[in-house]
Amino acid sequence: MTVRYIRVNPVADLFAPAVRAYGNIAIVGQVTPPGQAPAAPTATAVAGAGLEVGAYRYAVTFVTAGAETETGAETTVTTTAGNQKVDLTTIPTGPAGTTARRLYRTAVGGATGSERLLATIEDNTATAFDDIVPDAKLGDIPPVAGPNTPIVFTDPGEARRRVPGDLGEAIAQAFAQTPGPTLVYGVRTASGPDWQAALDAVAPLDAQFVVLANTALDTTTGASGGAIHLLSDHVSAVSNTGGDGKERMGVAMLAKGATATAVVSGALAHERMVYIAHKSDEDAAASVAGVIAGYEPHISILLKPVNISSDPFTPTEISAINGNETFSSGPAGNGVNWLVDPSLIPGRGVYMGEGYTGNPGGKKYIDIVRTVDDVSFRLKAQLIKAIGTVRISRSGLRALVAQLESVLQPLEQNEVIEGFDITIPLITLLDKDPNSLTAAELNQINNAQSQRVVEVLIAVDYAGAIHRLSITMKFV
């Protein structure tokens, strides 16, 4: 007879909590299309069949040996019963070097900017085309993205093709980091640039970092209504009022070579903003966002490598950025980080000089804000299945504690947090002899059960990484 010393009861939890990487980036910026966009063709509905009855929109692009312009001005035509063919005339020809033109059209009733490829005219001379192509035969979207439309990028080359200019280069700079982000959303601004409309398009995205491409913080962009001020307002508002898991941080750079940190003040001195001082002609904000996104939330960003070309700051300049420190003091910090090439690290390279948030008087370090966001999301994702199921009773609340522990204990074991303490005041009352409860205690239990609200207090001990070592050497 087999003696079973180990007994296993397999349990499948099909409602597994969601896991959040907290590493996606949204970059908002301007686009510089290759060449001037064409004028609109003339569209006329004529007798024939092939198209649906309704409104169609048309636009044209110029194609050269290495690029394609964005779609030009739209023209609209409405077909009617029996007049279900469209003659396109006065199709614009391109400047010298144009090898072809592409016609784009919406599906019937399509919105502005929803055109897809209709046909390619393989020359720069023909000016007419007869359209009877059904909607199902339309091809790709135009290569250059339209404004305020988020696009997911996983490849820097595709970013340079779809959003050429500041935005494409910033996305490529983020992807150049190691380990770097998994994906980057690119959002083109409308002319102006209209930063607010583009940030509104970013609000619902699954993004944890937001960057304004090639936009430095100065007295103009940092003023109320300025680009970086709008970014600070955005990350604050979405983090506080957006959906679960939408908490985010903004990353912005100072002007090249700037060391004055007084520009980070007022609403800009926010724990959800990260500022970087640099001496680079590349987009330092996009680079740093790519660096942060590549690491788990609890990892300090101090001395992490940044793939960027940047001249070093002098010790005097670093003191101006960071502030003065004593032998026994902690890091000073004025809410601005800097790039450094430490002589103690073999070889040459550019590294993060610190991991500060923009608020030196609050949550001072980037990893603290990210870890709080991460733990909060994990707890909510785990506990959602308790809503409507767990009862306000001794056994029910102890089951609730077990669910909280299932999230926090692995974090403690992996040294993400040092420890935690869970307190549910109602359990203490429910554990008492019912005959010993006071009227106030009975009322507290009755209120919780009638209102169906349970208060839970969780204290988490977070042990941050070492940022300074003070070593005293005694020779005897």
Side-chain angles (χ1 to χ4, degrees):
M1 178 179 176
T2 302
V3 178
R4 299 191 176 184
Y5 294 98
I6 301 176
R7 297 167 183 168
V8 177
N9 180 27
V11 177
D13 185 353
L14 299 181
F15 197 117
V19 177
R20 192 61 171 273
Y22 281 101
N24 297 339
I25 302 174
I27 301 182
V28 176
Q30 301 180 71
V31 167
T32 307
Q36 182 66 37
T42 299
T44 306
V46 297
L51 301 179
E52 301 293 328
V53 173
Y56 288 91
R57 301 173 189 272
Y58 292 85
V60 181
T61 64
F62 293 147
V63 180
T64 63
E68 180 178 354
T69 68
E70 64 181 330
T71 52
E74 288 183 335
T75 188
T76 303
V77 63
T78 300
T79 57
T80 57
N83 294 314
Q84 292 165 252
K85 174 183 175 183
V86 171
D87 284 351
L88 295 177
T89 56
T90 64
I91 297 171
T93 55
T98 300
T99 58
R101 288 150 302 152
R102 288 181 179 154
L103 307 177
Y104 290 87
R105 192 198 79 202
T106 65
V108 63
T112 296
S114 64
E115 289 89 355
R116 304 185 76 89
L117 182 61
L118 170 64
T120 299
I121 301 175
E122 300 288 357
D123 59 47
N124 194 30
T125 56
T127 59
F129 179 84
D130 293 336
D131 179 22
I132 55 171
V133 178
D135 292 348
K137 296 292 186 179
L138 295 175
D140 293 334
I141 59 176
V144 179
N148 303 326
T149 303
I151 299 175
V152 174
F153 292 102
T154 57
D155 175 69
E158 181 68 2
R160 288 189 171 106
R161 185 181 76 89
R162 295 294 312 281
V163 285
D166 288 348
L167 181 53
E169 292 304 316
I171 293 172
Q173 196 65 30
F175 276 123
Q177 309 309 310
T178 303
T182 302
L183 64 84
V184 178
Y185 296 95
V187 181
R188 176 185 178 180
T189 63
S191 59
D194 188 344
W195 297 107
Q196 186 59 64
L199 288 170
D200 290 343
V202 169
L205 299 180
D206 180 20
Q208 287 74 56
F209 301 96
V210 185
V211 177
L212 305 186
N214 196 28
T215 303
L217 172 61
D218 54 29
T219 55
T220 299
T221 60
S224 179
I228 303 301
H229 200 288
L230 291 174
L231 174 62
S232 177
D233 291 343
H234 167 84
V235 296
S236 176
V238 175
S239 297
N240 292 327
T241 63
D244 289 327
K246 292 294 190 295
E247 297 87 357
R248 56 192 52 178
M249 302 182 76
V251 185
M253 60 184 178
L254 274 59
K256 179 181 178 180
T259 59
T261 60
V263 68
V264 179
S265 61
L268 299 178
H270 199 283
E271 65 191 26
R272 293 198 171 275
M273 288 296 297
V274 176
Y275 300 101
I276 185 72
H278 66 102
K279 291 186 176 181
S280 177
D281 292 322
E282 298 170 288
D283 196 321
S287 300
V288 169
V291 170
I292 303 172
Y295 291 93
E296 294 183 71
H298 65 283
I299 302 297
S300 171
I301 302 304
L302 174 61
L303 293 182
K304 299 303 183 288
V306 184
N307 186 7
I308 192 174
S309 297
S310 182
D311 292 334
F313 287 101
T314 66
T316 300
E317 289 172 326
I318 293 176
S319 294
I321 298 169
N322 181 63
N324 295 319
E325 300 175 6
T326 66
F327 180 83
S328 58
S329 72
N334 292 317
V336 176
N337 304 286
W338 61 94
L339 300 178
V340 66
D341 179 9
S343 58
L344 294 175
I345 296 179
R348 295 295 304 273
V350 178
Y351 297 81
M352 288 290 294
E354 251 304 343
Y356 297 137
T357 70
N359 183 10
K363 294 186 181 72
K364 187 172 183 174
Y365 298 100
I366 298 167
D367 54 291
I368 294 177
V369 177
R370 297 185 72 207
T371 300
V372 170
D373 287 345
D374 185 36
V375 174
S376 298
F377 180 81
R378 290 173 183 269
L379 286 171
K380 289 188 287 187
Q382 173 66 32
L383 294 179
I384 188 65
K385 61 184 177 182
I387 302 299
T389 301
V390 172
R391 311 197 73 78
I392 303 175
S393 62
R394 281 182 293 177
S395 60
L397 295 184
R398 287 196 174 91
L400 188 65
V401 171
Q403 290 196 38
L404 292 166
E405 289 175 341
S406 71
V407 173
L408 298 173
Q409 282 178 348
L411 296 176
E412 182 180 13
Q413 293 167 358
N414 292 329
E415 298 185 348
V416 174
I417 59 177
E418 184 69 14
F420 64 91
D421 184 49
I422 302 170
T423 302
I424 302 181
L426 199 62
I427 288 183
T428 304
L429 299 182
L430 293 173
D431 282 341
K432 285 186 175 183
D433 182 348
N435 295 320
S436 68
L437 293 171
T438 66
E441 290 172 335
L442 285 170
N443 187 56
Q444 188 175 346
I445 294 173
N446 289 334
N447 285 341
Q449 292 177 333
S450 63
Q451 297 175 8
R452 304 198 176 198
V453 175
V454 175
E455 181 184 25
V456 179
L457 306 175
I458 302 176
V460 175
D461 184 7
Y462 179 68
I466 295 173
H467 277 217
R468 303 290 188 272
L469 279 175
S470 298
I471 301 174
T472 299
M473 298 180 65
K474 183 178 181 181
F475 291 87
V476 295

